[in-house]
């Protein structure tokens, strides 16, 4: 619970700092075969970016790494640019539908300049692990 609270406070702080002087990163989502190019705010999570752009990425737990409804699939190149997932994320991914070797939870991916030009596939269906 403490790690969830710390992450929540960290996200709030990051978002308030970066929204006053945002640095934008180009990210592409693929949903139902449609390519959607968006500008992501550095410091936000990928889940926040998807929600800000009205994409169908439920994120039912609000980014607490508890439900797997923000499951996304990357390509190998993008996957290599991401930090290693923590055990909590891997445990939650175990409950997601259609998991691949390149699956991640969007709530655990922070937007950084290294994600410029990356692509994330949004699955057609989700399962809430809670």
């Amino acid at each position: 619970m403490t790690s969830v609270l710390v992450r929540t406070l960290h996200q709030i702080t990051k978002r308030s700092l970066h929204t006053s002087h945002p640095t934008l990163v180009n990210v592409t989502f693929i949903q139902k075969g449609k390519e959607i190019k968006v500008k992501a705010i550095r410091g936000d999570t990928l889940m926040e970016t998807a929600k800000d752009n009205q994409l169908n990425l439920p994120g039912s737990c609000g980014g607490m790494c508890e439900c797997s409804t923000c499951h996304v699939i990357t390509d190998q190149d993008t996957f290599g640019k991401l930090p290693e997932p923590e055990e909590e994320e891997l445990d939650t991914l175990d409950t997601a539908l259609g998991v691949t070797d390149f699956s991640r939870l969007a709530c655990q991916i922070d937007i950084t300049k290294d994600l410029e030009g990356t692509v994330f596939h949004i699955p057609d269906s989700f399962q809430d692990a809670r």
Side-chain angles (χ1 to χ4, degrees):
M1 180 66 174
T2 303
S3 65
V4 170
L5 181 59
V6 169
R7 179 144 179 95
T8 301
L9 291 172
H10 181 65
Q11 287 174 333
I12 291 168
T13 303
K14 277 192 320 186
R15 191 165 179 95
S16 64
L17 288 174
H18 288 286
T19 54
S20 59
H21 298 290
T23 301
L24 301 177
V25 177
N26 295 300
V27 174
T28 300
F29 290 96
I30 297 177
Q31 185 170 41
K32 297 187 187 292
K34 183 179 177 186
E35 193 173 279
I36 304 149
K37 294 182 182 286
V38 302
K39 300 232 182 261
I41 298 172
R42 200 166 73 189
D44 277 2
T45 65
L46 188 65
M47 185 189 78
E48 290 167 326
T49 300
K51 287 182 165 285
D52 288 348
N53 287 277
Q54 290 77 47
L55 297 174
N56 184 27
L57 194 69
S60 301
C61 70
M64 297 295 114
C65 195
E66 295 174 350
C67 71
S68 76
T69 61
C70 67
H71 169 225
V72 293
I73 301 168
T74 70
D75 56 28
Q76 186 174 5
D77 184 51
T78 298
F79 194 81
K81 294 178 181 182
L82 301 172
E84 291 289 320
E86 293 185 19
E87 192 63 35
E88 181 181 20
E89 180 181 357
L90 295 174
D91 290 345
T92 303
L93 274 171
D94 284 342
T95 65
L97 297 174
V99 173
T100 73
D101 289 342
F102 303 112
S103 289
R104 292 295 302 267
L105 295 180
C107 68
Q108 300 302 298
I109 299 173
D110 291 327
I111 301 297
T112 65
K113 64 181 179 180
D114 295 334
L115 295 185
E116 177 68 34
T118 53
V119 178
F120 297 90
H121 295 262
I122 299 175
D124 291 337
S125 59
F126 299 91
Q127 176 176 313
D128 193 334
R130 295 178 290 165

